[in-house]
Amino acid sequence: MFGEYVISPQVSIKAVNNVSIELKKNEVIGIAGESGCGKSTLIKILYGFLQPPLTASGKVLLNTKGGLDLLSVSEDYKRENIWWKIMSYIPQNSMNVLNPFMKIGDHFVELLRKHLKIEKDEAYRVAEEYVMSMGMRKDVLKAFPHQLSGGMRQRVVVSLALLLKPSIIFADEPTTAVDVVLQKVLLQLLTDKQKELGATLVVVTHDMGVHAMITQKVAVMYAGRVVEEAPTEPLFEDPKHPYTQALINSLPRLGDDRPRIGLSGSPPDLRNPPPGCEFHPRCPYAMDICRREKPLRVKIDKDRYVVCWLYAKR
Ligand code: SF4
């Protein structure tokens, strides 16, 4: 699939470029990479949430009864049948997405009434039981968002996303704005619920530590492409793509107090990306072919793929 921000007839940015990804049931998948590499755009497309100037092409196939291409159905259809019920999305800065004029309870009641077609009183009772099952006091329903701490608002948003027991949960930087203690609590909550529901959890974050902690598979993105895809353990033990190596080598390690080596340079301007491999201006192994031709996707092991000339047979 492709995702493009059309800024004007002359200017467009290919934020997601020829990405193919398979999400399996009961799996936690991480999407990694620096800011601006296309991670958030990719999950917006997978969720079918396309707001101008974002446009997408390709297919997002849902394995529902009869099959469904999410990019070919209307927004109304997705609101009615897909979003919240089959797929849910925890956006970036989610603690600020609650309507400040609505009490927390109203957010839950509105969602329950719309999708379960139940009366307001019953919806409120269901919401009370549910928030308690999510580790909150039922009084939280009487509060306005500004009366809660940032961490509690984050917990509310995560709870709303899980309320209708979706099969696929997208979480965009779910722990970026919270301290490490709350980060651990929220990740635990998300993974516990993912297991309980047997759902697929797709976590987007630049934090490789989070990927190491909770994911089973990671797709590493650079300049709108997935450059490496692998099960988490082998990826961290033996990263193949030079960009993945740089991301992992920059992580602090217990007992190793040598200075970490960061990646020099910055991601390319996607309005005018470099020819050949987009990573070549920053890559210590760049060869002539890298500056001229796009590398191919190579299978290097079971469920392991890398897009790099170092691994392609020529
Ligand atoms: Fe480096 Fe070449 Fe591989 Fe790109 S294709 S990551 S420039 S070695």
Side-chain angles (χ1 to χ4, degrees), residues 266-284:
S266 44
D269 179 353
L270 292 180
R271 287 171 301 183
N272 188 21
C277 170
E278 284 90 351
F279 188 59
H280 84 248
R282 304 170 82 187
C283 179

Side-chain angles (χ1 to χ4, degrees), residues 124-143:
Y124 200 86
R125 272 196 303 280
V126 173
E128 280 182 333
E129 267 177 40
Y130 176 70
V131 292
M132 287 194 290
S133 77
M134 296 298 280
M136 293 177 278
R137 291 156 55 114
K138 61 183 180 185
D139 297 357
V140 79
L141 298 176
K142 296 186 184 136

Side-chain angles (χ1 to χ4, degrees), residues 147-160:
Q147 294 172 307
L148 302 179
S149 67
M152 190 57 90
R153 288 203 296 270
Q154 188 90 336
R155 193 181 266 264
V156 166
V157 174
V158 169
S159 303
L160 278 166

Side-chain angles (χ1 to χ4, degrees), residues 227 240-243 276-291 293-296 306-311:
V227 294
K240 298 293 186 194
H241 194 282
Y243 178 58
C277 170
E278 284 90 351
F279 188 59
H280 84 248
R282 304 170 82 187
C283 179
Y285 309 105
M287 305 168 279
D288 279 349
I289 192 170
C290 307
R291 297 180 186 93
E293 292 178 37
K294 296 250 172 285
L296 306 171
V306 64
V307 179
C308 173
W309 282 119
L310 290 174
Y311 303 92

Side-chain angles (χ1 to χ4, degrees), residues 187-203:
L187 291 175
Q188 192 67 53
L189 180 70
L190 265 175
T191 47
D192 284 353
K193 287 288 160 185
Q194 173 268 329
K195 279 192 204 105
E196 191 184 309
L197 298 173
T200 307
L201 172 62
V202 185
V203 179

